[in-house]
Amino acid sequence: MENVIARDVAPAAPGPARLSEKPSLIGLSREDMAAALREKGVAERQVKMRVSQLWNWLYVRGVSDFDAMTNVAKDMREMLKTHFTIARPEIVEEQVSNDGTRKWLLRYPARGAGRPVEVETVYIPEEGRGTLCISSQVGCSLTCSFCHTGTQRLVRNLTAEEILSQLLLARDRLGDFPDRDVPVGAMVPSSDRKITNIVMMGMGEPLYNFENVKQALLIASDGDGLSLSKRRITLSTSGVVPEIFRTGEEIGCMLAISLHAVRDELRDMLVPINKKYPLKELIDACRKYPGLSNARRITFEYVMLKDVNDSLEDAKALVQLLKGVPAKINLIPFNPWPGTNYQCSDWAQIEKFADFVNQAGYASPIRTPRGRDILAACGQLKSESERMRKTERLAFEAMMIVGHGEDD
């Protein structure tokens, strides 16, 4: 997909045992957590109670240190510390924009024979809501021609723990757990929660990492823990058709489609997965999305590329393509990156396009820049040497992130 950076990192120098050598309790289902405790000798009669305690500490209280679990016996805490971890990923860099947008560069330990990797997570505060953009893979196997991220290789899938830990760390840093203070000077939404919505729109194609994404999102929406409404969780896909119905049936979240073209020959070039799952199959899958209604619309992302996909004929074809599908269309001005052959559509043309789509009955907001004063990306991050100007990168990222999910 189109968003954030992920890099291989040189292996850490030899030293004390790394956190990755211990399995994490974060991201485990209750059943898997129970099995892990049994394996370490917790009596069967205690397992259910211990799982309930741990779930509350991890996902309601948001602790990242076993010693903070004050109602857990000391010998149990020592056993947990010996065998497991609940630590957050390392923050390599944290940046805060004047408008409250935040970006964290996070480092995950090596997995097996691999290297440590880094990904970025971005937070966008708006009036009444705060949206967190989460990654699902390190790198990307898709080669969307307008997306800089698509020019780097897929390194690996993120685990359920690594996906979920992006949310936990962001809530830590925003003071979004009980008894935590909001950072001084932080701009946060006028709501009970700082993070009200999450979008799976970071690096990677979520539906190529379905099981880990599913596990993480089911924990994020669990009513006895993080308790995010599924109407406030949006998964964005470039069109992995076989997994779209499963997403609605097994996860139950909102759906966004990276569309970007309304003719197969053009979409084959812009979003090459279209060669495998062409538009007819994709739109048919959208029509069958479980729970689809005017109250639960699908969002279609459409990056505006000058003289490529921005004509009024394209707008008419878009309306025809989506006929009968409860939908919202996000129009995103393209942010050029070094080496790209694409340009952003003229603003007047974007407005004409939006007006036509609006008049046809579809909401088609034009995403405007946010967070211009710090660095982030949407489909443009590849390496330190190729980073674009700070004033442009987070702006494009934010245009993709905002406005997803419901406000219920």
Side-chain angles (χ1 to χ4, degrees):
M1 303 237 6
E2 289 112 359
N3 289 5
V4 294
I5 188 169
R7 297 178 294 167
D8 281 298
V9 181
R18 296 194 302 271
L19 292 176
S20 60
E21 294 174 357
K22 296 181 185 179
S24 179
L25 294 181
I26 294 167
L28 296 182
S29 66
R30 287 182 176 84
E31 293 74 20
D32 289 342
M33 192 181 293
L37 295 181
R38 288 190 194 98
E39 184 181 334
K40 300 306 178 187
V42 175
E44 184 63 41
R45 66 181 182 277
Q46 291 188 16
V47 168
K48 185 175 180 181
M49 180 266 289
R50 294 302 185 192
V51 168
S52 181
Q53 282 182 318
L54 289 169
W55 201 268
N56 184 270
W57 282 112
L58 293 176
Y59 302 127
V60 177
R61 309 301 297 182
V63 304
S64 56
D65 183 346
F66 288 115
D67 285 331
M69 298 180 177
T70 52
N71 66 343
V72 176
K74 186 175 180 180
D75 60 344
M76 176 64 68
R77 295 202 304 267
E78 290 302 317
M79 183 279 288
L80 292 169
K81 283 192 289 184
T82 299
H83 296 292
F84 304 105
T85 180
I86 54 172
R88 304 290 191 252
E90 175 190 353
I91 299 176
V92 178
E93 186 177 31
E94 180 176 29
Q95 293 181 306
V96 184
S97 166
N98 290 332
D99 64 15
T101 301
R102 288 172 176 257
K103 185 206 71 174
W104 297 276
L105 178 62
L106 306 179
R107 178 175 295 153
Y108 294 108
R111 296 281 172 187
R115 291 184 168 192
V117 293
E118 295 177 356
V119 298
E120 283 181 345
T121 301
V122 177
Y123 171 72
I124 308 290
E126 302 173 77
E127 179 62 33
R129 65 156 67 186
T131 302
L132 187 72
C133 179
I134 295 176
S135 294
S136 58
Q137 294 181 310
V138 184
C140 188
S141 62
L142 304 177
T143 54
C144 300
S145 63
F146 61 89
C147 176
H148 199 200
T149 297
T151 66
Q152 65 175 299
R153 65 187 177 88
L154 176 67
V155 178
R156 66 171 173 84
N157 286 337
L158 292 178
T159 65
E161 170 212 350
E162 291 166 334
I163 295 167
L164 198 60
S165 69
Q166 295 173 63
L167 172 58
L168 296 177
L169 182 138
R171 289 195 64 183
D172 284 345
R173 301 300 294 175
L174 293 167
D176 204 17
F177 282 115
D179 305 322
R180 306 288 177 83
D181 293 329
V182 176
V184 175
M187 295 183 186
V188 295
S190 56
S191 63
D192 293 337
R193 289 187 170 192
K194 314 304 180 291
I195 297 173
T196 61
N197 295 58
I198 59 176
V199 291
M200 297 300 305
M201 295 186 68
M203 170 149 303
E205 167 53 66
L207 297 189
Y208 279 156
N209 187 18
F210 184 87
E211 294 300 334
N212 286 321
V213 168
K214 172 184 170 181
Q215 180 91 330
L217 294 185
L218 289 180
I219 293 173
S221 59
D222 186 285
D224 292 325
L226 292 163
S227 199
L228 276 168
S229 166
K230 291 183 179 182
R231 292 170 63 105
R232 290 177 173 266
I233 298 173
T234 301
L235 183 148
S236 180
T237 177
S238 291
V240 184
V241 167
E243 308 295 350
I244 287 177
F245 187 86
R246 288 187 68 199
T247 299
E249 189 79 0
E250 300 178 29
I251 303 175
C253 60
M254 306 295 282
L255 183 68
I257 302 292
S258 292
L259 187 63
H260 310 307
V262 293
R263 304 184 307 278
D264 280 321
E265 60 273 21
L266 178 57
R267 196 164 190 268
D268 285 350
M269 180 175 64
L270 296 180
V271 189
I273 194 177
N274 194 74
K275 297 173 185 176
K276 189 172 185 180
Y277 306 114
L279 282 167
K280 183 180 186 306
E281 292 183 27
L282 175 59
I283 301 304
D284 284 348
C286 290
R287 292 183 193 280
K288 297 172 184 174
Y289 192 70
L292 183 63
S293 68
N294 287 328
R296 292 173 64 87
R297 297 173 295 174
I298 293 174
T299 299
F300 290 87
E301 307 288 353
Y302 199 94
V303 172
M304 301 297 294
L305 303 170
K306 185 174 182 178
D307 298 328
V308 174
N309 66 352
D310 63 349
S311 69
L312 282 183
E313 287 71 26
D314 287 306
K316 293 173 184 177
L318 177 60
V319 168
Q320 188 62 35
L321 181 70
L322 301 183
K323 189 174 182 180
V325 179
K328 179 172 71 172
I329 301 157
N330 278 351
L331 302 179
I332 302 149
F334 177 64
N335 195 28
W337 43 270
T340 183
N341 293 319
Y342 296 110
Q343 294 179 299
C344 181
S345 302
D346 295 335
W347 194 258
Q349 186 63 24
I350 296 175
E351 289 184 329
K352 287 179 184 177
F353 194 104
D355 286 344
F356 182 89
V357 175
N358 273 312
Q359 288 169 14
Y362 290 98
S364 56
I366 302 169
R367 293 305 173 197
T368 52
R370 290 281 306 274
R372 283 189 172 275
D373 56 320
I374 68 173
L375 182 68
C378 179
Q380 275 88 25
L381 287 175
K382 185 178 180 185
S383 70
E384 287 289 336
S385 63
E386 294 176 317
R387 289 192 171 193
M388 296 175 64
R389 290 194 302 118
K390 290 184 179 182
T391 56
E392 296 176 352
R393 306 190 67 102
L394 189 63
F396 198 72
E397 169 88 348
M399 286 189 285
M400 295 289 287
I401 294 171
V402 298
H404 287 280
E406 302 300 314
D407 295 321
D408 60 346

